[in-house]
Amino acid sequence: MGKWLVLLAILMGAPLLAQDGGSTSPSSTQPGGDEEEVDPWNDFDVGGVQDGEYLPLTLGRDRTGLGLRARASFGWDSNIFLEDKDDDTGLYGDAMAYAYVGANLGIVALGARGHIAGRLYFGEADADMWDLKLGAFFKLPYNGGFGFGVSADVLYHQLHSYEITGPLTRQDDLRASGAIGRAYVGYQVSFVVFELGFTGQTTDFTEERDVPSLDSWTIGADFSIYFKIFDFLELHPYVAFDYEWFRDQVDVQDDGTPLSTEDKLQLLKFNYGADFKLNLPFIEAQGRVYSARQDDSAAGHDRYWQYGVRGAADLNLVGNVRLTIGGHFWTREYDDLVDVDNVGPDGERTVHERYLQAWVELAWNFWEFMSVGGRYTYTRRTSDIDNAGYAAHDASIFLEIGW
């Protein structure tokens, strides 16, 4: 046991480096205890989450037991800063690790989690990314009746680009920190769980340029239902509301100019959709179909509808070989933001944005808890907003430790 604790301390304390993924669930508290899952590094959102937004402070997963996963990679990126113009290719080294410890004591369950990650591009100034996230939970598990719990995370990171209210914001010297907490109460009837949650979070940016502060507060509520069918299929429909207000960001009109009242920006977000998880001997899969509505407080500059689908699947191949495939697609239309570059005979056209990411990963568990493999990711974002579109290829080889 002592050597495992030493290894955990070394991996979590080393200057680890990064990779991207994403998870944007209004409810990360699962009705079970220990949890098997497809894991395409969803806990690591360095480089922007899969839908292109800056890393939101979504709650990590509440796990019991003891677990560790760490990966070191070497790879090539065709578009470091995610810009169409003056594409920068680069070789990189990255690493990441997450660990969790938790105990289900029968009446209550509690635990802690953490991840650290970073990426360094060789010979490229101001191209590094890093991410640190720590969290904990306490809950009364569902056992055929009422259950409740609280979960919280804190975060500090630096990326290349952020999506604050819509279009990408590129600022290499912008760092983000914040905290999020969620409390929930629910009731289990047979194989169905009804759950109501309340969330609060703060996001703070350390701007080094002379720009209006992007700091904000958010409060929210969500309602969801969990179904577990025949021990191999789980469904999770949900609906969530969030209200975010910015401390110094001024609301703007449709043309992007500030309102004369200088009112601070406020955003109301409405999300609904359904998660699924499939667990069969030859395939494990999880995914989400969702819709998101964002409405601003006054002028409509940031109002949009977004529809998307994302998923990942593990295919258990011969012996200790695993093939994981995944993807994410969304389309977004702004209600009142006019595409000034595409005004035809039929009049003005509103701004559209689309996002596609597809990736494949092959890993070989060659000894005990160690694996080697390779990963390829293609990302494409198109936008009617100038300089917001990009395409990128990312290929890497890796060594991984996990149990």
Side-chain angles (χ1 to χ4, degrees):
M1 183 64 183
K3 66 179 181 180
W4 300 123
L5 294 177
V6 171
L7 179 60
L8 176 62
I10 292 174
L11 287 168
M12 293 304 292
L16 297 172
L17 304 170
Q19 174 151 312
D20 83 43
S23 179
T24 53
S25 172
S27 174
S28 64
T29 305
Q30 304 298 323
D34 296 337
E35 183 181 358
E36 296 297 328
E37 61 176 317
V38 175
D39 194 346
W41 287 97
N42 275 348
D43 291 300
F44 288 90
D45 301 289
V46 171
V49 299
Q50 291 180 356
D51 56 0
E53 296 177 346
Y54 76 101
L55 175 59
L57 284 173
T58 51
L59 289 166
R61 295 185 182 274
D62 299 339
R63 295 182 174 100
T64 55
L66 176 65
L68 167 70
R69 190 175 185 188
R71 175 183 294 190
S73 302
F74 176 80
W76 171 80
D77 190 337
S78 70
N79 193 346
I80 295 173
F81 296 106
L82 303 180
E83 296 183 83
D84 277 339
K85 298 178 180 178
D86 303 320
D87 291 351
D88 253 327
T89 63
L91 297 175
Y92 64 81
D94 72 22
M96 64 207 74
Y98 72 69
Y100 63 88
V101 58
N104 190 336
L105 304 178
I107 298 177
V108 299
L110 69 166
R113 56 184 175 260
H115 84 235
I116 184 171
R119 172 174 290 192
L120 175 66
Y121 287 93
F122 302 115
E124 295 286 345
D126 299 323
D128 58 306
M129 298 186 291
W130 41 267
D131 186 20
L132 173 65
K133 190 173 184 180
L134 302 172
F137 72 92
F138 172 87
K139 63 182 177 181
L140 176 68
Y142 298 111
N143 290 305
F146 281 102
F148 66 87
V150 293
S151 187
D153 284 281
V154 294
L155 169 113
Y156 189 59
H157 74 169
Q158 175 176 315
L159 309 179
H160 293 159
S161 60
Y162 298 80
E163 185 167 323
I164 309 301
T165 62
L168 287 179
T169 296
R170 292 187 174 89
Q171 191 164 326
D172 299 334
D173 54 5
L174 193 65
R175 297 177 178 87
S177 62
I180 183 172
R182 178 176 183 268
Y184 73 91
V185 62
Y187 190 81
Q188 181 179 21
V189 181
S190 184
F191 59 88
V192 181
V193 174
F194 301 90
E195 186 173 288
L196 177 65
F198 300 93
T199 304
Q201 77 177 66
T202 178
T203 306
D204 299 278
F205 292 89
T206 56
E207 299 91 350
E208 297 179 11
R209 297 179 179 176
D210 185 19
V211 298
S213 173
L214 301 169
D215 299 347
S216 69
W217 291 88
T218 303
I219 57 174
D222 61 84
F223 177 74
S224 57
I225 305 174
Y226 295 90
F227 300 89
K228 192 167 185 177
I229 305 172
F230 302 122
D231 291 328
F232 68 85
L233 177 63
E234 295 181 34
L235 299 176
H236 173 217
Y238 68 88
V239 59
F241 295 88
D242 293 293
Y243 179 67
E244 180 179 13
W245 66 97
F246 291 78
R247 299 199 276 274
D248 297 300
Q249 194 79 6
V250 177
D251 201 356
V252 297
Q253 303 179 77
D254 294 347
D255 59 3
T257 58
L259 291 176
S260 59
T261 58
E262 296 188 353
D263 290 338
K264 299 300 186 292
L265 178 61
Q266 301 168 70
L267 298 176
L268 178 63
K269 301 177 182 180
F270 169 56
N271 301 274
Y272 64 90
D275 300 325
F276 71 87
K277 183 180 295 183
L278 180 67
N279 190 356
L280 296 173
F282 59 92
I283 183 173
E284 298 170 75
Q286 63 183 27
R288 160 171 292 188
V289 178
Y290 67 91
S291 176
R293 168 65 172 178
Q294 176 173 284
D295 198 355
D296 63 19
S297 53
H301 182 268
D302 295 308
R303 294 174 185 166
Y304 64 72
W305 275 104
Q306 178 174 321
Y307 305 93
V309 58
R310 66 192 305 169
D314 276 348
L315 305 177
N316 301 315
L317 303 179
V318 179
N320 295 322
V321 177
R322 169 184 56 82
L323 175 66
T324 306
I325 57 175
H328 188 188
F329 172 77
W330 58 253
T331 180
R332 176 188 298 170
E333 180 180 4
Y334 289 82
D335 288 6
D336 300 312
L337 191 57
V338 176
D339 180 7
V340 296
D341 297 324
N342 192 6
V343 178
D346 297 331
E348 297 178 339
R349 181 175 180 269
T350 54
V351 165
H352 287 73
E353 292 190 293
R354 295 177 178 86
Y355 178 86
L356 170 67
Q357 183 178 80
W359 54 269
V360 59
E361 180 174 296
L362 187 65
W364 173 42
N365 180 209
F366 67 93
W367 178 72
E368 296 292 336
F369 50 80
M370 301 186 69
S371 301
V372 294
R375 180 183 178 108
Y376 169 76
T377 303
Y378 172 74
T379 308
R380 174 63 171 150
R381 179 165 179 167
T382 60
S383 175
D384 298 331
I385 303 171
D386 291 342
N387 298 319
Y390 60 84
H393 301 265
D394 188 306
S396 64
I397 56 176
F398 60 84
L399 172 66
E400 182 176 292
I401 300 173
W403 74 85

